[in-house]
Amino acid sequence: MKLLKDDQPTDLENMVGLTRRSFISAGALCGAAMFLGGDLLSRSVLAASVQAANSKLLGFASIPAATADSISLPPGYSASVLISWGQPLQSDGPAFDPSGKGSADAQEVQFGDNNDGMSLFTFPGDDANRASRALMAINNEYTNYRYLFDHGKDPQSAEEVRKALASEGVSVIEVKREGSQWKFVQGSKYNRRVHGNTPIHLSGPAAGDDLLKTAADATGKNVLGTFQNCANGKTPWGTYLTCEENFTDCFGSTDPAQKIDAATKRYGVVPASKEINWHLHDPRFDIAKNPNEFNRHGWVVEIDPFDPKSTPVKRTALGRFKHENAALAETKGGRVVVYMGDDERGEFIYKFISRDKIDHQNPKANRNILDHGTLYVAQFDNGDSNPDHPKGQGTWVELTHGKNGIDASSGFASQAEVLIHARMAASVVKATRMDRPEWIVVSPKDGQVYCTLTNNAKRGEDGQPVGGPNPRAKNQYGQILRWREHEDNASAMTFTWDLFVVAGNPAVHSGKPQGGSSNINPQNMFNSPDGLGFDKSGRLWILTDGDSTNSGDFAGMGNNQMLCADPASGEIRRFMVGPVGCEVTGISFAPDQKALFVGIQHPGENGGSTFPEHLPDGKPRSSVMVITRNDGGIVGA
């Protein structure tokens, strides 16, 4: 893929573009500060903004926004396709059928649809920095029915539901480096699909509880499938964590008089289902016939990518909600910490601390470490009065039966029920309702934790007050929250927080809160930050899933994009723009940092795209891209 011709900088602009943009940005900030009497930007913030333009961490110039059906990159970078939806994992597998008439059996052995979070695993014993062979575990979140079926509608039969289930879950693939390029290894013995009908084990405190038992599984310990898999986590012991997000959309009721209890309602199940209608053709998703089935989804699932015959495990100790991702850290005492966001308006941020310490010498000894530990939820104060860069304090509150008012009197008979209904337990302890907490990442340099709060049209109403880390009513642009645990120990019960960036559109809303924080300018503006990732050098990569109409409040923002930030200076530069109708999501790096893997999800979601093949009347396909520097250098440097 090449940079769009219309956006191609001249050689002169390549030489002076950074200085020119820095000058324009600093001038605009000075003007805004003078116009607002200094209220929006303090002298120290303004000075930091000017200094930020000289970041040595970011080795490329910010590229313009774009609206074309292709990948835009800085000069000197190239993009290639690693794998696309429908590609057969084995050499003798069925080829992708663009007509939409392909079978469920075929989809079960092909790369899944709408790839999202992913992690790369080097083989044990390899020199990680030199590795030229690895496995990738890649989420397949959901599917687009307008492209999956030849009729372009919701599933019309049980077989079509099975095909939809086969499109979701996780794809495990082998990749190898040939020269400077990474390629998919078709036919590898490690290639595997974990999909919506794959047998999975339930473990941890909730496993076997009555709320998890069904007619098909009287033990409450075995479940079919994982689906709606959003983002991910990677453990130090070499396993993959895939996170079930909008699982409740898959359930409905064939009983028109169905009464929805408080717990079911809190998780969003409605009798008519939400767009999917699987319940009309598969009784497993009909809450009138199988009321407990939906309790068996909404968990974090652990997968061993190196054992294609292993059974994945849903780790119930991590709580049940609409998981975005799972970011791991280690306490000073050697225990594992998992940070998690619940991606829905007004929901919460959690962390889990294991009971046992990580055994780094014996990775297999850690295989059940996520079954034992304590789940916490975050409370944030309202912070200080700085309108541009608010800061404050926070506390982690334990979600354990018998503590903090979580007991029979508040509706919880056991710890299993606390975990199954984690949202309700978090509400009992008055956790802070957030602006859709999505990806969470931990800095490899200083241990600070970053979380995207992607947007929230309901902020300021519905019991969601404006303030603290959620500073704007009807928040359409989003922000990135950052916190530092007390004494830099991930096991701490208190932390300090600030907002790393408040997204906005200064071209449309100059001098207003909707214009964003001081590190947002017309050259780097974006909306709805979603994915996040750190590289080894400490660059923060920001991926967006927002409004790409390029009009009104979003004028000048173009298609969804990937940006790169210097956490120390706060500077942000646009690195990549995706094709029409896509979400840019999922990120991983080659061990030597000379290749960046990034996902292009649902290109042409509402039409208008033929990415990536651009065939006449072609069908768009979600794909994993490989971004490299033409000179073979480190990406972003």
Side-chain angles (χ1 to χ4, degrees), residues 558-594:
N559 297 342
N560 277 301
Q561 57 190 279
M562 177 167 62
L563 308 101
C564 190
D566 182 337
S569 69
E571 186 181 3
I572 300 172
R573 299 181 193 173
R574 184 182 292 113
F575 178 81
M576 186 191 86
V577 182
V580 169
C582 81
E583 170 188 351
V584 180
T585 184
I587 184 170
S588 190
F589 292 88
D592 60 7
Q593 308 291 288
K594 294 181 179 180

Side-chain angles (χ1 to χ4, degrees), residues 18-239:
L18 177 58
T19 303
R20 176 176 171 271
R21 289 188 184 95
S22 304
F23 177 79
I24 293 173
S25 177
L29 291 169
C30 290
M34 293 175 65
F35 177 77
L36 295 170
D39 290 336
L40 179 63
L41 300 174
S42 67
R43 290 179 182 270
S44 60
V45 170
L46 182 59
S49 300
V50 175
Q51 182 181 4
N54 298 316
S55 169
K56 295 181 179 179
L57 191 62
L58 309 181
F60 61 93
S62 188
I63 68 170
T67 58
D69 191 31
S70 57
I71 298 287
S72 299
L73 290 166
Y77 283 87
S78 298
S80 60
V81 177
L82 180 73
I83 193 168
S84 296
W85 163 50
Q87 194 162 343
L89 300 189
Q90 302 302 328
S91 301
D92 58 353
F96 174 68
D97 183 353
S99 73
K101 295 181 180 180
S103 68
D105 287 339
Q107 182 61 78
E108 285 183 353
V109 293
Q110 296 170 333
F111 186 67
D113 198 6
N114 284 338
N115 44 275
D116 203 303
M118 55 187 164
S119 295
L120 185 142
F121 298 83
T122 56
F123 281 78
D126 283 2
D127 183 329
N129 291 322
R130 297 181 183 179
S132 59
R133 181 182 177 217
L135 300 183
M136 292 188 73
I138 305 166
N139 284 351
N140 301 112
E141 185 178 9
Y142 69 105
T143 191
N144 295 40
Y145 297 131
R146 69 182 294 160
Y147 303 126
L148 183 68
F149 303 125
D150 59 343
H151 53 67
K153 302 175 183 178
D154 290 349
Q156 304 294 301
S157 66
E159 177 64 11
E160 289 189 346
V161 171
R162 190 164 79 88
K163 184 178 179 181
L165 285 163
S167 302
E168 302 184 16
V170 176
S171 299
V172 179
I173 63 172
E174 183 177 344
V175 295
K176 67 177 180 179
R177 184 174 57 196
E178 295 181 354
S180 61
Q181 292 297 318
W182 285 85
K183 297 183 178 180
F184 161 56
V185 181
Q186 188 179 54
S188 168
K189 67 178 182 179
Y190 296 101
N191 293 347
R192 176 190 188 188
R193 285 299 317 285
V194 177
H195 51 71
N197 279 313
T198 299
I200 295 178
H201 184 62
L202 287 155
S203 72
D209 188 81
D210 286 346
L211 289 174
L212 299 183
K213 295 177 180 179
T214 66
D217 173 32
T219 69
K221 293 184 178 181
N222 298 289
V223 62
L224 279 183
T226 182
F227 40 85
Q228 303 286 300
N229 304 77
C230 192
N232 60 303
K234 179 181 177 181
T235 71
W237 49 93
T239 60

Side-chain angles (χ1 to χ4, degrees), residues 489-567:
N489 191 347
S491 65
M493 291 295 102
T494 59
F495 56 87
T496 57
W497 65 264
D498 72 338
L499 291 180
F500 174 69
V501 61
V502 180
N505 193 326
V508 174
H509 298 290
S510 178
K512 300 177 181 179
Q514 292 83 0
S517 52
S518 60
N519 50 348
I520 293 296
N521 58 64
Q523 285 75 47
N524 69 3
M525 59 186 181
F526 61 93
N527 73 90
S528 298
D530 186 336
L532 286 176
F534 271 106
D535 61 23
K536 287 182 180 178
S537 296
R539 299 177 193 86
L540 178 65
W541 297 83
I542 304 166
L543 297 75
T544 73
D545 176 23
D547 190 302
S548 58
T549 58
N550 201 41
S551 62
D553 288 327
F554 306 97
M557 291 184 171
N559 297 342
N560 277 301
Q561 57 190 279
M562 177 167 62
L563 308 101
C564 190
D566 182 337

Side-chain angles (χ1 to χ4, degrees), residues 293-352:
E293 180 66 26
F294 94 104
N295 291 333
R296 293 146 64 86
H297 304 279
W299 304 100
V300 173
V301 187
E302 188 168 11
I303 299 171
D304 182 354
F306 292 99
D307 185 356
K309 296 182 179 180
S310 61
T311 300
V313 182
K314 298 197 179 190
R315 302 293 184 185
T316 66
L318 300 181
R320 174 176 163 269
F321 42 88
K322 294 185 178 180
H323 288 274
E324 182 73 15
N325 81 325
L328 277 74
E330 186 173 340
T331 72
K332 289 184 176 179
R335 292 179 292 164
V336 64
V337 171
V338 185
Y339 294 103
M340 300 168 285
D342 184 352
D343 182 12
E344 195 154 81
R345 291 189 296 243
E347 292 301 336
F348 310 117
I349 294 173
Y350 300 81
K351 89 170 173 181
F352 168 87

Side-chain angles (χ1 to χ4, degrees), residues 156-485:
Q156 304 294 301
S157 66
E159 177 64 11
E160 289 189 346
V161 171
R162 190 164 79 88
K163 184 178 179 181
L165 285 163
S167 302
E168 302 184 16
V170 176
S171 299
V172 179
I173 63 172
E174 183 177 344
V175 295
K176 67 177 180 179
R177 184 174 57 196
E178 295 181 354
S180 61
Q181 292 297 318
W182 285 85
K183 297 183 178 180
F184 161 56
V185 181
Q186 188 179 54
S188 168
K189 67 178 182 179
Y190 296 101
N191 293 347
R192 176 190 188 188
R193 285 299 317 285
V194 177
H195 51 71
N197 279 313
T198 299
I200 295 178
H201 184 62
L202 287 155
S203 72
D209 188 81
D210 286 346
L211 289 174
L212 299 183
K213 295 177 180 179
T214 66
D217 173 32
T219 69
K221 293 184 178 181
N222 298 289
V223 62
L224 279 183
T226 182
F227 40 85
Q228 303 286 300
N229 304 77
C230 192
N232 60 303
K234 179 181 177 181
T235 71
W237 49 93
T239 60
Y240 182 69
L241 301 181
T242 182
C243 301
E244 299 175 338
E245 188 191 18
N246 293 314
F247 65 99
T248 54
D249 291 359
C250 304
F251 294 85
S253 175
T254 54
D255 180 2
Q258 177 82 41
K259 292 184 178 180
I260 306 295
D261 61 52
T264 306
K265 183 178 181 180
R266 176 62 184 275
Y267 279 81
V269 174
V270 296
S273 182
K274 293 182 178 179
E275 303 177 1
I276 294 174
N277 293 324
W278 291 356
H279 69 288
L280 298 178
H281 309 288
D282 186 339
R284 180 155 68 105
F285 300 97
D286 186 348
I287 60 173
K289 298 176 180 178
N290 288 291
N292 281 352
E293 180 66 26
F294 94 104
N295 291 333
R296 293 146 64 86
H297 304 279
W299 304 100
V300 173
V301 187
E302 188 168 11
I303 299 171
D304 182 354
F306 292 99
D307 185 356
K309 296 182 179 180
S310 61
T311 300
V313 182
K314 298 197 179 190
R315 302 293 184 185
T316 66
L318 300 181
R320 174 176 163 269
F321 42 88
K322 294 185 178 180
H323 288 274
E324 182 73 15
N325 81 325
L328 277 74
E330 186 173 340
T331 72
K332 289 184 176 179
R335 292 179 292 164
V336 64
V337 171
V338 185
Y339 294 103
M340 300 168 285
D342 184 352
D343 182 12
E344 195 154 81
R345 291 189 296 243
E347 292 301 336
F348 310 117
I349 294 173
Y350 300 81
K351 89 170 173 181
F352 168 87
I353 304 177
S354 69
R355 180 193 68 188
D356 303 322
K357 295 181 179 180
I358 303 172
D359 186 342
H360 289 284
Q361 303 305 312
N362 182 13
K364 290 186 177 181
N366 304 302
R367 290 304 170 91
N368 295 314
I369 197 171
L370 298 181
D371 281 344
H372 308 285
T374 306
L375 188 65
Y376 301 85
V377 68
Q379 287 180 338
F380 296 83
D381 68 7
N382 281 329
D384 57 27
S385 57
N386 186 331
D388 182 70
H389 191 72
K391 302 177 182 178
Q393 308 289 323
T395 303
W396 294 105
V397 183
E398 185 174 347
L399 298 179
T400 297
H401 189 259
K403 295 184 178 182
N404 299 318
I406 304 173
D407 51 30
S409 66
S410 56
F412 300 91
S414 64
Q415 182 62 15
E417 291 192 12
V418 172
L419 297 170
I420 293 169
H421 303 313
R423 282 184 169 181
M424 301 179 78
S427 291
V428 168
V429 303
K430 295 181 170 55
T432 303
R433 302 183 69 185
M434 308 297 290
D435 286 350
R436 289 186 57 199
E438 296 213 46
W439 288 55
I440 300 176
V441 292
V442 182
S443 169
K445 295 299 183 181
D446 59 18
Q448 291 195 82
V449 189
Y450 293 70
C451 175
T452 50
L453 302 176
T454 195
N455 57 51
N456 185 354
K458 298 292 185 181
R459 177 60 58 185
E461 51 190 76
D462 189 33
Q464 301 181 57
V466 174
N470 310 287
R472 295 179 296 189
K474 297 181 179 179
N475 178 17
Q476 58 190 332
Y477 296 119
Q479 61 266 13
I480 297 179
L481 169 69
R482 174 171 59 185
W483 68 86
R484 188 164 209 152
E485 300 279 18

